[in-house]
Amino acid sequence: GSPSSCRPPDLALNPGSFPQVADLLFARWGLPIQTYTSTGEPSTEEEALVALAAALPPADPKHRFIMALRRFRKQRQARSTYVRRCTVEEPAGIFVYPDGRVRSTWNAHVVPSGRLSSSAPGLQNMPKRLRRMYAAAPGHVLVYADQNALELRCAAALAGDGARYVRAAALF
C-alpha cells in the first residue's frame, strides 16, 4: 500500500514532505535518528530508512510504513525521471518527437570505457519494468542488448572458449 494507507488514522501526512516524515518517525514515534542532513536535520533519505526498517520486525506497522514510503519514493522518482518526460500530454514531454515516438540519443565517446551510453532519456539506467512502455514502430523490432561484462564475453567468443563465455555471462 501507499504510505498514506499505512499511517495512523488521526495523522495527516504528505509522504513527499521530508519534514513531516521526520516529525512522524523521530518526534512522534521516537525512532532513533540514523544520520543527519547537511543542515543538521534528522535524515529521512533512503539509507536512513533502510537502517530504520532493518531494526523493526516486519509485522510492525512502523516497518510497513517505512517500506511503503520507500516504494512511494522510488515510484515517484521513476515517474518524474522516465514516465513524465516521455509522454505527449505532459508539458515536460521533452523526449517526444513530433511523430509521437521517443528516441534516445546514443553516445559513443562519453564513457571512459568506450561503451555506448544513452541520454535523453538514459535507457540504461531505466528500471526494467519501465522499459516495457517502449514499443517498436510498426514493421520494426526493439532490441535490448545487455552490456554487462561485454569485454569478457567478446574475449571468450574471440578465443573460441564457449565454456568461459557461458561462465562470464552467468556472472552477471
Side-chain angles (χ1 to χ4, degrees), residues 87-172:
T87 59
V88 178
E89 294 81 25
E90 292 283 346
I94 56 176
F95 303 143
V96 181
Y97 281 71
D99 64 358
R101 302 206 55 85
V102 174
R103 294 175 181 86
S104 185
T105 300
W106 293 95
N107 311 299
H109 303 289
V110 174
V111 180
S113 68
R115 289 185 181 177
L116 285 175
S117 68
S118 69
S119 57
L123 299 176
Q124 282 112 333
N125 298 328
M126 182 178 292
K128 287 183 182 181
R129 63 185 165 77
L130 292 181
R131 289 183 196 156
R132 286 185 246 144
M133 72 180 181
Y134 292 94
H140 293 81
V141 294
L142 186 63
V143 177
Y144 172 75
D146 183 359
Q147 296 181 10
N148 284 335
L150 185 60
E151 291 85 359
L152 284 174
R153 294 176 189 196
C154 289
L158 289 172
D161 191 344
R164 255 195 210 131
Y165 173 82
V166 170
R167 282 195 304 274
L171 290 173
F172 301 92

Side-chain angles (χ1 to χ4, degrees), residues 33-132:
I33 297 170
Q34 302 297 311
T35 58
Y36 290 89
T37 65
S38 60
T39 60
E41 300 296 320
S43 175
T44 61
E45 294 292 332
E46 176 70 6
E47 183 179 303
L49 295 177
V50 167
L52 286 170
L56 295 166
D60 188 314
K62 295 171 187 170
H63 179 275
R64 291 198 323 267
F65 172 83
I66 292 169
M67 298 307 289
L69 179 63
R70 292 179 60 215
R71 281 190 304 275
F72 168 80
R73 287 183 176 174
K74 284 178 186 173
Q75 290 170 357
R76 182 180 63 180
Q77 178 65 37
R79 181 183 182 278
S80 169
T81 303
Y82 301 109
V83 178
R84 185 167 179 261
R85 292 182 181 178
C86 296
T87 59
V88 178
E89 294 81 25
E90 292 283 346
I94 56 176
F95 303 143
V96 181
Y97 281 71
D99 64 358
R101 302 206 55 85
V102 174
R103 294 175 181 86
S104 185
T105 300
W106 293 95
N107 311 299
H109 303 289
V110 174
V111 180
S113 68
R115 289 185 181 177
L116 285 175
S117 68
S118 69
S119 57
L123 299 176
Q124 282 112 333
N125 298 328
M126 182 178 292
K128 287 183 182 181
R129 63 185 165 77
L130 292 181
R131 289 183 196 156
R132 286 185 246 144

